[in-house]
Structure formats: structure tokens, C-alpha cells
Amino acid sequence: MMVAFKGHNPFHCRIPRKPHPNGTKMHAICDAIHYFCVQFLVDDKTTRTVAEIASILFLGNVLPGMTVITDRYYTCTDLVRFCMALGVGIIGSTMSIRFLSKHKFVGWDTKSELEQKPRGTFQVRKSRCGRVANIIWKDNGIVRLTCTSGSSVRCKVVRRKRGKASFLVNAPLAAQMFDKYFHGVDRNDQLRGSNYGLALHFRAQKYTVKMFLGMWDIVLSNSFIVWRILHPRDRKKHRSWWDQVARALLEYNPDGDPDYRPYGWRSVPKPHKLTPFCRGNAHRSGNHRLERKQAECAMCSTTLKRRRSSSGCMDCNVALHPGSCSDSWHSLSPEERKKKKPRYRKLDFEIG
């Protein structure tokens, strides 16, 4: 995996054939069926061998009896020996210079002879111990495979051409397994590079920010894969998943504080009733009615202009105008209410 970044980066790596050649390289191991990223390792440009990288990635993730499928960057003698020691099978494409068979294949030496071979032809050679097989298979090009699992039984693989119907090509069983289960890391890269990927669409000047966003994209792609497995009948999988992710981020409470509200939080207005308040038992002259008083509205009053109201909320102990002032006040968080509260003395509300 590559996290694109062109600035100063101590982990900078350049791979010309990648869609984003400059950036930070990550060694990853993914599930072959659901493309779930099991573990990744940042390439810190040390002198680690392929077997050492595999030992870190395989620890606790790969069990004896499983089969690992690798590309030609990782397939080498050290990795094959390491997998054989763990009891893990391996099927990997191999570079011509790393091909494990030292003896020559009959009729596969010159380029002219390779072009004359029909598509679907393959040859198999085994090592002296009989546990490692080397396969040369003529597909659209020349494919070299090194495997300790699978077999050379003849089977069929599907091939397609633009504007033409699909057709079948002869292939060994190991090549069929390689063609079917090799796309785990590539499909995970496609999910990370889609519209919800942050590392590609967010510009950052620090390489640490880019690396964090790249790791965050891996977390997002894994969560979407799990959501898709748990909700197979949901037609709007992507939209439903995004709604749940946004809701979980907004409701996240790190310390378990019951009064914690994130930035920009707005709750549903509470059904508090506004009640008129009065001055104790004082009476007006001539009229035996309670003398109503007014207090500054907690929502619309400012230092320049004081707006008074004769009603308020008994639960919040503040004066409020009915309507928009009451709805806006009850949608604020407790911290914002303390900033807007004009006075803290107890108000006398009329009961009944």
C-alpha cells in the first residue's frame, strides 16, 4: 500500500509503476475473500529481509494449514523456507532472476520459442525435496509461479477481451487459485482510494498527518467491509454505513461524562413549559391581583439592549420569551447555557 506524499518524509519511497509513485510504503496482509486488512507494517527503510517482514505480519494472523498468496516482490527462497517451517502454504508469482529452479525448462529458453507456444501451455518442475514446485505458464504473457500448496492439475480460467465474448484458457490449479485470491490488497486499495478516502483528498504539509489519514482510511475500509457483511440485504449499504459512522463520531464521549457534548451539538428542544412569575404576595392598590414582574430574557438580552419577559422556565430558573427564545435556549448545551445565563438568583414563579 502507498500513502501519497511529496514533501519531506523520512519514510519516503518512490515506486514508478504505482498510481501515486511518491509516498510512504506499507506492507499489508489482507483477507483473500472479503479484502479485510488484517495487519500492516510501515516501511521504515531499514535493512529488514522479506522473512522478517513476514514474521511480523504473520504473528497471530496466519495459522498452520493456511495458504498465503504473494506477488513477485515478496516471493523468494527465505520466505518459502519460513512458510515451510510454520506449516503454511504459499503460492506466489516470481521474478525471472529469483526463480527457484536452477535447471532450464525445455523449449522455454529463447523469446522466439516462447512466442510459438500456444496460450494455456505450462510446465512444472519440482525441487529435490519434492515440496516446492516451479511452474511456467503461457497466458497473455509468461507467468512464473512458485508454490508449496495447490497442484499442477489441469483446469480452466476465464479470460475476457473488450468487445468479445469471454473464453476459457488451460491453466494449472495453482494458477487458478492465484488468479482467484490474489486481489485482497488491491481491492482494499480501491476502497481506500474511493470518494470517502481522506488521504488522497486532504492536503497536508506534515507527513505525520498523511500517515494518520492513510491509517484512518484503512479503518474506514475495514468498517465498510464489516457493515456490508452484516447487512447483506441493505440496498443503500454505503449511505447507511456513512450515517452510522457520522452518528458514532458525533456521539463519541471519551471520558464517559454524562454532560459531555461535542462541538456543534444541538439536542431536540425539551418540552419545558413557560410559567409566569410574580413578586411574592404583594398586591396592587385597588386590585387584588398578584403584581407581575419582568426579568431579562436569557436568550435575546444583550449588554446594549435589555429585553424583559414576564414568563420563564421553572426547571432552568431563567426568564424567556415564548416561542423562538424558548426553543433556542433548550437546544443549547449546559456549558453554553452557563455563559448566557444573566443572573443566578431564585425567581418566584406563580403556581396554579
Side-chain angles (χ1 to χ4, degrees):
M1 294 183 178
M2 288 289 292
V3 179
F5 187 72
K6 292 185 179 180
H8 172 71
N9 184 3
F11 308 119
H12 178 267
C13 182
R14 177 175 175 80
I15 304 178
R17 294 185 179 183
K18 291 284 186 179
H20 302 279
N22 294 293
T24 304
K25 182 179 179 180
M26 293 185 181
H27 305 278
I29 178 171
C30 294
D31 180 28
I33 299 176
H34 301 296
Y35 320 124
F36 187 89
C37 183
V38 180
Q39 189 174 351
F40 62 91
L41 175 66
V42 179
D43 190 354
D44 54 357
K45 302 176 71 173
T46 57
T47 56
R48 286 177 177 169
T49 61
V50 176
E52 293 176 352
I53 295 173
S55 63
I56 298 174
L57 296 177
F58 289 6
L59 182 62
N61 300 319
V62 180
L63 302 177
M66 293 184 176
T67 301
V68 180
I69 299 176
T70 62
D71 59 1
R72 61 182 185 176
Y73 177 83
Y74 297 96
T75 307
C76 61
T77 55
D78 295 338
L79 183 60
V80 172
R81 291 171 183 171
F82 179 75
C83 292
M84 291 172 63
L86 293 179
V88 177
I90 180 173
I91 300 175
S93 59
T94 315
M95 297 181 185
S96 59
I97 58 175
R98 286 186 181 180
F99 206 52
L100 304 183
S101 178
K102 295 182 180 180
H103 54 269
K104 297 181 179 180
F105 283 69
V106 179
W108 294 74
D109 297 336
T110 61
K111 185 176 181 180
S112 60
E113 292 175 346
L114 294 177
E115 293 176 353
Q116 294 175 2
K117 295 290 181 180
R119 189 171 186 176
T121 306
F122 63 91
Q123 292 186 15
V124 183
R125 294 290 185 272
K126 293 184 179 180
S127 60
R128 294 179 181 178
C129 63
R131 299 176 61 184
V132 184
N134 299 313
I135 303 174
I136 293 183
W137 174 43
K138 176 65 180 300
D139 193 18
N140 194 20
I142 302 300
V143 180
R144 296 177 175 86
L145 297 176
T146 300
C147 58
T148 60
S149 61
S151 65
S152 59
V153 177
R154 187 181 300 274
C155 58
K156 301 288 185 179
V157 294
V158 180
R159 290 293 180 263
R160 296 179 179 85
K161 285 186 178 181
R162 288 186 179 181
K164 296 182 180 181
S166 58
F167 56 95
L168 299 177
V169 177
N170 294 327
L173 182 61
Q176 185 188 40
M177 294 176 62
F178 181 85
D179 189 56
K180 183 177 180 181
Y181 298 112
F182 176 68
H183 308 290
V185 179
D186 295 338
R187 293 295 176 87
N188 198 283
D189 282 341
Q190 290 178 4
L191 292 176
R192 291 192 308 111
S194 58
N195 293 330
Y196 59 83
L198 298 178
L200 293 178
H201 303 286
F202 183 82
R203 293 185 178 180
Q205 297 181 355
K206 294 289 186 179
Y207 73 94
T208 53
V209 178
K210 274 287 187 179
M211 291 179 64
F212 172 77
L213 294 178
M215 298 175 187
W216 180 250
D217 287 343
I218 295 176
V219 174
L220 288 178
S221 62
N222 286 345
S223 64
F224 177 65
I225 291 170
V226 174
W227 172 269
R228 187 172 54 186
I229 297 173
L230 296 178
H231 302 80
R233 297 184 180 181
D234 192 352
R235 295 183 178 179
K236 299 180 180 180
K237 295 183 180 65
H238 195 256
R239 182 176 180 179
S240 302
W241 167 76
W242 254 127
D243 292 341
Q244 184 171 355
V245 169
R247 192 180 304 110
L249 291 175
L250 292 176
E251 296 176 356
Y252 174 69
N253 189 354
D255 301 327
D257 186 6
D259 296 332
Y260 173 80
R261 294 294 183 271
Y263 178 77
W265 176 83
R266 292 293 184 271
S267 64
V268 179
K270 297 181 180 180
H272 290 181
K273 295 182 179 180
L274 297 185
T275 308
F277 48 84
C278 62
R279 285 185 181 177
N281 295 325
H283 295 273
R284 286 185 181 179
S285 58
N287 293 328
H288 298 283
R289 295 182 181 178
L290 294 175
E291 183 181 357
R292 294 181 179 274
K293 66 175 182 179
Q294 293 182 347
E296 297 177 13
C297 179
M299 198 65 200
C300 60
S301 295
T302 60
T303 56
L304 300 178
K305 189 174 183 180
R306 297 180 179 180
R307 297 182 179 180
R308 299 180 179 273
S309 175
S310 59
S311 60
C313 181
M314 184 184 299
D315 298 329
C316 300
N317 192 26
V318 292
L320 293 169
H321 288 106
S324 61
C325 290
S326 177
D327 296 341
S328 301
W329 169 263
H330 291 120
S331 64
L332 296 177
S333 62
E335 292 78 7
E336 294 175 340
R337 291 182 187 180
K338 290 181 180 179
K339 296 179 181 179
K340 286 183 172 293
K341 202 168 184 180
R343 59 184 66 180
Y344 295 93
R345 66 181 180 84
K346 183 68 177 178
L347 299 179
D348 297 328
F349 286 88
E350 181 181 356
I351 307 282

PDB file of all heavy atoms in Angstrom, residues 268-298:
ATOM      1  N   VAL A 268     -32.603  17.928  20.765  1.00  0.00           N
ATOM      2  CA  VAL A 268     -34.004  18.202  20.478  1.00  0.00           C
ATOM      3  C   VAL A 268     -34.565  19.088  21.586  1.00  0.00           C
ATOM      4  O   VAL A 268     -34.303  18.847  22.770  1.00  0.00           O
ATOM      5  CB  VAL A 268     -34.789  16.878  20.399  1.00  0.00           C
ATOM      6  CG1 VAL A 268     -36.261  17.143  20.124  1.00  0.00           C
ATOM      7  CG2 VAL A 268     -34.190  15.991  19.333  1.00  0.00           C
ATOM      8  N   PRO A 269     -35.306  20.146  21.268  1.00  0.00           N
ATOM      9  CA  PRO A 269     -35.833  21.014  22.319  1.00  0.00           C
ATOM     10  C   PRO A 269     -36.668  20.233  23.327  1.00  0.00           C
ATOM     11  O   PRO A 269     -37.515  19.410  22.971  1.00  0.00           O
ATOM     12  CB  PRO A 269     -36.698  22.013  21.537  1.00  0.00           C
ATOM     13  CG  PRO A 269     -36.131  22.016  20.163  1.00  0.00           C
ATOM     14  CD  PRO A 269     -35.631  20.621  19.922  1.00  0.00           C
ATOM     15  N   LYS A 270     -36.399  20.484  24.609  1.00  0.00           N
ATOM     16  CA  LYS A 270     -37.105  19.784  25.673  1.00  0.00           C
ATOM     17  C   LYS A 270     -38.491  20.396  25.865  1.00  0.00           C
ATOM     18  O   LYS A 270     -38.672  21.597  25.701  1.00  0.00           O
ATOM     19  CB  LYS A 270     -36.317  19.877  26.976  1.00  0.00           C
ATOM     20  CG  LYS A 270     -34.963  19.193  26.904  1.00  0.00           C
ATOM     21  CD  LYS A 270     -34.241  19.288  28.226  1.00  0.00           C
ATOM     22  CE  LYS A 270     -32.888  18.600  28.143  1.00  0.00           C
ATOM     23  NZ  LYS A 270     -32.157  18.673  29.418  1.00  0.00           N
ATOM     24  N   PRO A 271     -39.455  19.588  26.246  1.00  0.00           N
ATOM     25  CA  PRO A 271     -40.817  20.108  26.414  1.00  0.00           C
ATOM     26  C   PRO A 271     -41.012  20.827  27.746  1.00  0.00           C
ATOM     27  O   PRO A 271     -41.898  20.499  28.524  1.00  0.00           O
ATOM     28  CB  PRO A 271     -41.663  18.829  26.323  1.00  0.00           C
ATOM     29  CG  PRO A 271     -40.772  17.761  26.845  1.00  0.00           C
ATOM     30  CD  PRO A 271     -39.382  18.136  26.418  1.00  0.00           C
ATOM     31  N   HIS A 272     -40.145  21.806  28.035  1.00  0.00           N
ATOM     32  CA  HIS A 272     -40.321  22.607  29.250  1.00  0.00           C
ATOM     33  C   HIS A 272     -41.436  23.628  29.020  1.00  0.00           C
ATOM     34  O   HIS A 272     -41.517  24.239  27.946  1.00  0.00           O
ATOM     35  CB  HIS A 272     -39.027  23.333  29.624  1.00  0.00           C
ATOM     36  CG  HIS A 272     -37.957  22.393  30.117  1.00  0.00           C
ATOM     37  ND1 HIS A 272     -36.718  22.822  30.521  1.00  0.00           N
ATOM     38  CD2 HIS A 272     -37.947  21.060  30.260  1.00  0.00           C
ATOM     39  CE1 HIS A 272     -35.996  21.796  30.901  1.00  0.00           C
ATOM     40  NE2 HIS A 272     -36.726  20.714  30.742  1.00  0.00           N
ATOM     41  N   LYS A 273     -42.266  23.834  30.034  1.00  0.00           N
ATOM     42  CA  LYS A 273     -43.362  24.786  29.923  1.00  0.00           C
ATOM     43  C   LYS A 273     -42.964  26.107  30.558  1.00  0.00           C
ATOM     44  O   LYS A 273     -42.355  26.149  31.621  1.00  0.00           O
ATOM     45  CB  LYS A 273     -44.612  24.227  30.617  1.00  0.00           C
ATOM     46  CG  LYS A 273     -45.168  22.976  29.945  1.00  0.00           C
ATOM     47  CD  LYS A 273     -46.424  22.506  30.652  1.00  0.00           C
ATOM     48  CE  LYS A 273     -46.978  21.259  29.958  1.00  0.00           C
ATOM     49  NZ  LYS A 273     -48.217  20.767  30.620  1.00  0.00           N
ATOM     50  N   LEU A 274     -43.332  27.191  29.883  1.00  0.00           N
ATOM     51  CA  LEU A 274     -43.072  28.521  30.428  1.00  0.00           C
ATOM     52  C   LEU A 274     -44.178  28.878  31.418  1.00  0.00           C
ATOM     53  O   LEU A 274     -45.361  28.648  31.171  1.00  0.00           O
ATOM     54  CB  LEU A 274     -43.002  29.548  29.305  1.00  0.00           C
ATOM     55  CG  LEU A 274     -41.862  29.358  28.284  1.00  0.00           C
ATOM     56  CD1 LEU A 274     -41.848  30.518  27.312  1.00  0.00           C
ATOM     57  CD2 LEU A 274     -40.521  29.222  28.967  1.00  0.00           C
ATOM     58  N   THR A 275     -43.760  29.465  32.566  1.00  0.00           N
ATOM     59  CA  THR A 275     -44.678  29.796  33.647  1.00  0.00           C
ATOM     60  C   THR A 275     -44.515  31.266  33.998  1.00  0.00           C
ATOM     61  O   THR A 275     -43.381  31.761  34.102  1.00  0.00           O
ATOM     62  CB  THR A 275     -44.381  28.924  34.879  1.00  0.00           C
ATOM     63  OG1 THR A 275     -44.366  27.555  34.481  1.00  0.00           O
ATOM     64  CG2 THR A 275     -45.433  29.120  35.952  1.00  0.00           C
ATOM     65  N   PRO A 276     -45.604  32.031  34.202  1.00  0.00           N
ATOM     66  CA  PRO A 276     -45.458  33.423  34.658  1.00  0.00           C
ATOM     67  C   PRO A 276     -44.983  33.469  36.104  1.00  0.00           C
ATOM     68  O   PRO A 276     -45.315  32.608  36.910  1.00  0.00           O
ATOM     69  CB  PRO A 276     -46.870  33.981  34.505  1.00  0.00           C
ATOM     70  CG  PRO A 276     -47.759  32.795  34.561  1.00  0.00           C
ATOM     71  CD  PRO A 276     -47.009  31.671  33.964  1.00  0.00           C
ATOM     72  N   PHE A 277     -44.173  34.471  36.426  1.00  0.00           N
ATOM     73  CA  PHE A 277     -43.671  34.610  37.789  1.00  0.00           C
ATOM     74  C   PHE A 277     -44.139  35.945  38.375  1.00  0.00           C
ATOM     75  O   PHE A 277     -44.577  36.860  37.665  1.00  0.00           O
ATOM     76  CB  PHE A 277     -42.146  34.492  37.853  1.00  0.00           C
ATOM     77  CG  PHE A 277     -41.409  35.315  36.843  1.00  0.00           C
ATOM     78  CD1 PHE A 277     -41.130  36.641  37.070  1.00  0.00           C
ATOM     79  CD2 PHE A 277     -40.987  34.749  35.647  1.00  0.00           C
ATOM     80  CE1 PHE A 277     -40.444  37.395  36.148  1.00  0.00           C
ATOM     81  CE2 PHE A 277     -40.306  35.497  34.714  1.00  0.00           C
ATOM     82  CZ  PHE A 277     -40.032  36.827  34.962  1.00  0.00           C
ATOM     83  N   CYS A 278     -44.074  36.087  39.741  1.00  0.00           N
ATOM     84  CA  CYS A 278     -44.649  37.242  40.445  1.00  0.00           C
ATOM     85  C   CYS A 278     -43.747  37.646  41.597  1.00  0.00           C
ATOM     86  O   CYS A 278     -42.749  37.010  41.886  1.00  0.00           O
ATOM     87  CB  CYS A 278     -46.049  36.903  40.959  1.00  0.00           C
ATOM     88  SG  CYS A 278     -46.007  35.564  42.148  1.00  0.00           S
ATOM     89  N   ARG A 279     -44.131  38.738  42.305  1.00  0.00           N
ATOM     90  CA  ARG A 279     -43.401  39.246  43.461  1.00  0.00           C
ATOM     91  C   ARG A 279     -44.063  38.753  44.751  1.00  0.00           C
ATOM     92  O   ARG A 279     -44.743  39.506  45.439  1.00  0.00           O
ATOM     93  CB  ARG A 279     -43.404  40.769  43.459  1.00  0.00           C
ATOM     94  CG  ARG A 279     -42.467  41.365  42.445  1.00  0.00           C
ATOM     95  CD  ARG A 279     -42.457  42.860  42.603  1.00  0.00           C
ATOM     96  NE  ARG A 279     -41.593  43.494  41.648  1.00  0.00           N
ATOM     97  CZ  ARG A 279     -41.447  44.806  41.538  1.00  0.00           C
ATOM     98  NH1 ARG A 279     -42.143  45.610  42.336  1.00  0.00           N
ATOM     99  NH2 ARG A 279     -40.645  45.311  40.656  1.00  0.00           N
ATOM    100  N   GLY A 280     -43.881  37.547  45.079  1.00  0.00           N
ATOM    101  CA  GLY A 280     -44.401  37.037  46.342  1.00  0.00           C
ATOM    102  C   GLY A 280     -45.889  37.253  46.486  1.00  0.00           C
ATOM    103  O   GLY A 280     -46.681  36.918  45.616  1.00  0.00           O
ATOM    104  N   ASN A 281     -46.315  37.852  47.620  1.00  0.00           N
ATOM    105  CA  ASN A 281     -47.722  38.078  47.900  1.00  0.00           C
ATOM    106  C   ASN A 281     -48.089  39.553  47.841  1.00  0.00           C
ATOM    107  O   ASN A 281     -49.062  39.977  48.457  1.00  0.00           O
ATOM    108  CB  ASN A 281     -48.079  37.521  49.280  1.00  0.00           C
ATOM    109  CG  ASN A 281     -47.926  36.015  49.331  1.00  0.00           C
ATOM    110  OD1 ASN A 281     -48.202  35.356  48.344  1.00  0.00           O
ATOM    111  ND2 ASN A 281     -47.483  35.496  50.461  1.00  0.00           N
ATOM    112  N   ALA A 282     -47.316  40.373  47.162  1.00  0.00           N
ATOM    113  CA  ALA A 282     -47.617  41.804  47.069  1.00  0.00           C
ATOM    114  C   ALA A 282     -48.859  42.021  46.219  1.00  0.00           C
ATOM    115  O   ALA A 282     -49.101  41.305  45.254  1.00  0.00           O
ATOM    116  CB  ALA A 282     -46.428  42.552  46.460  1.00  0.00           C
ATOM    117  N   HIS A 283     -49.690  43.025  46.614  1.00  0.00           N
ATOM    118  CA  HIS A 283     -50.924  43.320  45.904  1.00  0.00           C
ATOM    119  C   HIS A 283     -50.884  44.737  45.374  1.00  0.00           C
ATOM    120  O   HIS A 283     -50.249  45.619  45.936  1.00  0.00           O
ATOM    121  CB  HIS A 283     -52.125  43.169  46.857  1.00  0.00           C
ATOM    122  CG  HIS A 283     -52.314  41.760  47.338  1.00  0.00           C
ATOM    123  ND1 HIS A 283     -53.044  40.830  46.633  1.00  0.00           N
ATOM    124  CD2 HIS A 283     -51.850  41.129  48.449  1.00  0.00           C
ATOM    125  CE1 HIS A 283     -53.039  39.678  47.292  1.00  0.00           C
ATOM    126  NE2 HIS A 283     -52.312  39.844  48.418  1.00  0.00           N
ATOM    127  N   ARG A 284     -51.564  44.923  44.261  1.00  0.00           N
ATOM    128  CA  ARG A 284     -51.723  46.275  43.741  1.00  0.00           C
ATOM    129  C   ARG A 284     -52.834  46.987  44.513  1.00  0.00           C
ATOM    130  O   ARG A 284     -53.764  46.345  44.999  1.00  0.00           O
ATOM    131  CB  ARG A 284     -52.084  46.225  42.254  1.00  0.00           C
ATOM    132  CG  ARG A 284     -50.911  45.855  41.354  1.00  0.00           C
ATOM    133  CD  ARG A 284     -51.341  45.967  39.892  1.00  0.00           C
ATOM    134  NE  ARG A 284     -50.257  45.611  38.997  1.00  0.00           N
ATOM    135  CZ  ARG A 284     -50.370  45.608  37.682  1.00  0.00           C
ATOM    136  NH1 ARG A 284     -51.534  45.930  37.133  1.00  0.00           N
ATOM    137  NH2 ARG A 284     -49.349  45.290  36.929  1.00  0.00           N
ATOM    138  N   SER A 285     -52.698  48.290  44.605  1.00  0.00           N
ATOM    139  CA  SER A 285     -53.754  49.073  45.270  1.00  0.00           C
ATOM    140  C   SER A 285     -54.998  49.091  44.412  1.00  0.00           C
ATOM    141  O   SER A 285     -54.963  49.447  43.245  1.00  0.00           O
ATOM    142  CB  SER A 285     -53.280  50.507  45.510  1.00  0.00           C
ATOM    143  OG  SER A 285     -52.929  51.112  44.293  1.00  0.00           O
ATOM    144  N   GLY A 286     -56.126  48.687  45.003  1.00  0.00           N
ATOM    145  CA  GLY A 286     -57.387  48.688  44.290  1.00  0.00           C
ATOM    146  C   GLY A 286     -57.681  47.379  43.589  1.00  0.00           C
ATOM    147  O   GLY A 286     -58.841  47.036  43.410  1.00  0.00           O
ATOM    148  N   ASN A 287     -56.665  46.657  43.180  1.00  0.00           N
ATOM    149  CA  ASN A 287     -56.892  45.379  42.501  1.00  0.00           C
ATOM    150  C   ASN A 287     -56.221  44.273  43.323  1.00  0.00           C
ATOM    151  O   ASN A 287     -55.031  44.342  43.623  1.00  0.00           O
ATOM    152  CB  ASN A 287     -56.296  45.377  41.092  1.00  0.00           C
ATOM    153  CG  ASN A 287     -57.011  46.341  40.182  1.00  0.00           C
ATOM    154  OD1 ASN A 287     -58.203  46.560  40.342  1.00  0.00           O
ATOM    155  ND2 ASN A 287     -56.281  46.912  39.237  1.00  0.00           N
ATOM    156  N   HIS A 288     -56.988  43.276  43.692  1.00  0.00           N
ATOM    157  CA  HIS A 288     -56.448  42.186  44.494  1.00  0.00           C
ATOM    158  C   HIS A 288     -55.853  41.122  43.564  1.00  0.00           C
ATOM    159  O   HIS A 288     -56.311  39.998  43.482  1.00  0.00           O
ATOM    160  CB  HIS A 288     -57.555  41.600  45.375  1.00  0.00           C
ATOM    161  CG  HIS A 288     -58.115  42.576  46.336  1.00  0.00           C
ATOM    162  ND1 HIS A 288     -57.465  42.942  47.490  1.00  0.00           N
ATOM    163  CD2 HIS A 288     -59.265  43.290  46.308  1.00  0.00           C
ATOM    164  CE1 HIS A 288     -58.182  43.814  48.167  1.00  0.00           C
ATOM    165  NE2 HIS A 288     -59.299  44.069  47.443  1.00  0.00           N
ATOM    166  N   ARG A 289     -54.870  41.518  42.823  1.00  0.00           N
ATOM    167  CA  ARG A 289     -54.144  40.611  41.935  1.00  0.00           C
ATOM    168  C   ARG A 289     -52.662  40.636  42.275  1.00  0.00           C
ATOM    169  O   ARG A 289     -52.154  41.620  42.788  1.00  0.00           O
ATOM    170  CB  ARG A 289     -54.332  41.020  40.475  1.00  0.00           C
ATOM    171  CG  ARG A 289     -55.764  40.896  39.976  1.00  0.00           C
ATOM    172  CD  ARG A 289     -55.826  41.278  38.516  1.00  0.00           C
ATOM    173  NE  ARG A 289     -57.184  41.193  37.999  1.00  0.00           N
ATOM    174  CZ  ARG A 289     -57.521  41.515  36.756  1.00  0.00           C
ATOM    175  NH1 ARG A 289     -56.577  41.938  35.910  1.00  0.00           N
ATOM    176  NH2 ARG A 289     -58.780  41.414  36.360  1.00  0.00           N
ATOM    177  N   LEU A 290     -52.029  39.528  42.001  1.00  0.00           N
ATOM    178  CA  LEU A 290     -50.586  39.472  42.219  1.00  0.00           C
ATOM    179  C   LEU A 290     -49.881  40.398  41.241  1.00  0.00           C
ATOM    180  O   LEU A 290     -50.224  40.454  40.064  1.00  0.00           O
ATOM    181  CB  LEU A 290     -50.085  38.042  42.027  1.00  0.00           C
ATOM    182  CG  LEU A 290     -50.590  37.011  43.058  1.00  0.00           C
ATOM    183  CD1 LEU A 290     -50.119  35.621  42.671  1.00  0.00           C
ATOM    184  CD2 LEU A 290     -50.114  37.359  44.436  1.00  0.00           C
ATOM    185  N   GLU A 291     -48.975  41.165  41.759  1.00  0.00           N
ATOM    186  CA  GLU A 291     -48.235  42.109  40.917  1.00  0.00           C
ATOM    187  C   GLU A 291     -47.161  41.357  40.120  1.00  0.00           C
ATOM    188  O   GLU A 291     -46.211  40.832  40.698  1.00  0.00           O
ATOM    189  CB  GLU A 291     -47.579  43.175  41.787  1.00  0.00           C
ATOM    190  CG  GLU A 291     -46.859  44.233  40.981  1.00  0.00           C
ATOM    191  CD  GLU A 291     -46.210  45.257  41.865  1.00  0.00           C
ATOM    192  OE1 GLU A 291     -46.376  45.160  43.090  1.00  0.00           O
ATOM    193  OE2 GLU A 291     -45.535  46.140  41.324  1.00  0.00           O
ATOM    194  N   ARG A 292     -47.324  41.280  38.820  1.00  0.00           N
ATOM    195  CA  ARG A 292     -46.359  40.581  37.986  1.00  0.00           C
ATOM    196  C   ARG A 292     -45.105  41.431  37.821  1.00  0.00           C
ATOM    197  O   ARG A 292     -45.166  42.655  37.837  1.00  0.00           O
ATOM    198  CB  ARG A 292     -46.958  40.286  36.602  1.00  0.00           C
ATOM    199  CG  ARG A 292     -48.113  39.301  36.641  1.00  0.00           C
ATOM    200  CD  ARG A 292     -48.629  39.036  35.248  1.00  0.00           C
ATOM    201  NE  ARG A 292     -49.724  38.086  35.262  1.00  0.00           N
ATOM    202  CZ  ARG A 292     -49.588  36.775  35.236  1.00  0.00           C
ATOM    203  NH1 ARG A 292     -48.365  36.260  35.203  1.00  0.00           N
ATOM    204  NH2 ARG A 292     -50.631  35.973  35.257  1.00  0.00           N
ATOM    205  N   LYS A 293     -43.958  40.751  37.669  1.00  0.00           N
ATOM    206  CA  LYS A 293     -42.708  41.452  37.416  1.00  0.00           C
ATOM    207  C   LYS A 293     -42.093  40.929  36.127  1.00  0.00           C
ATOM    208  O   LYS A 293     -42.551  39.934  35.559  1.00  0.00           O
ATOM    209  CB  LYS A 293     -41.755  41.259  38.573  1.00  0.00           C
ATOM    210  CG  LYS A 293     -41.298  39.805  38.737  1.00  0.00           C
ATOM    211  CD  LYS A 293     -40.263  39.689  39.811  1.00  0.00           C
ATOM    212  CE  LYS A 293     -39.782  38.241  39.910  1.00  0.00           C
ATOM    213  NZ  LYS A 293     -38.746  38.087  40.944  1.00  0.00           N
ATOM    214  N   GLN A 294     -41.052  41.572  35.695  1.00  0.00           N
ATOM    215  CA  GLN A 294     -40.351  41.190  34.481  1.00  0.00           C
ATOM    216  C   GLN A 294     -38.871  41.001  34.779  1.00  0.00           C
ATOM    217  O   GLN A 294     -38.329  41.616  35.701  1.00  0.00           O
ATOM    218  CB  GLN A 294     -40.527  42.245  33.376  1.00  0.00           C
ATOM    219  CG  GLN A 294     -41.946  42.347  32.859  1.00  0.00           C
ATOM    220  CD  GLN A 294     -42.057  43.351  31.736  1.00  0.00           C
ATOM    221  OE1 GLN A 294     -41.142  44.142  31.511  1.00  0.00           O
ATOM    222  NE2 GLN A 294     -43.176  43.326  31.026  1.00  0.00           N
ATOM    223  N   ALA A 295     -38.255  40.137  34.006  1.00  0.00           N
ATOM    224  CA  ALA A 295     -36.819  39.882  34.141  1.00  0.00           C
ATOM    225  C   ALA A 295     -36.195  39.805  32.758  1.00  0.00           C
ATOM    226  O   ALA A 295     -36.889  39.635  31.750  1.00  0.00           O
ATOM    227  CB  ALA A 295     -36.575  38.587  34.909  1.00  0.00           C
ATOM    228  N   GLU A 296     -34.884  39.952  32.716  1.00  0.00           N
ATOM    229  CA  GLU A 296     -34.184  39.952  31.426  1.00  0.00           C
ATOM    230  C   GLU A 296     -34.234  38.558  30.801  1.00  0.00           C
ATOM    231  O   GLU A 296     -33.954  37.548  31.458  1.00  0.00           O
ATOM    232  CB  GLU A 296     -32.727  40.368  31.617  1.00  0.00           C
ATOM    233  CG  GLU A 296     -32.564  41.771  32.143  1.00  0.00           C
ATOM    234  CD  GLU A 296     -31.114  42.116  32.375  1.00  0.00           C
ATOM    235  OE1 GLU A 296     -30.263  41.338  31.891  1.00  0.00           O
ATOM    236  OE2 GLU A 296     -30.834  43.117  33.037  1.00  0.00           O
ATOM    237  N   CYS A 297     -34.578  38.512  29.521  1.00  0.00           N
ATOM    238  CA  CYS A 297     -34.621  37.241  28.791  1.00  0.00           C
ATOM    239  C   CYS A 297     -33.198  36.692  28.641  1.00  0.00           C
ATOM    240  O   CYS A 297     -32.271  37.422  28.246  1.00  0.00           O
ATOM    241  CB  CYS A 297     -35.266  37.442  27.418  1.00  0.00           C
ATOM    242  SG  CYS A 297     -35.328  35.934  26.420  1.00  0.00           S
ATOM    243  N   ALA A 298     -33.028  35.451  28.980  1.00  0.00           N
ATOM    244  CA  ALA A 298     -31.691  34.855  28.939  1.00  0.00           C
ATOM    245  C   ALA A 298     -31.178  34.659  27.527  1.00  0.00           C
ATOM    246  O   ALA A 298     -29.977  34.483  27.326  1.00  0.00           O
ATOM    247  CB  ALA A 298     -31.705  33.515  29.667  1.00  0.00           C
TER     248      ALA A 298
END
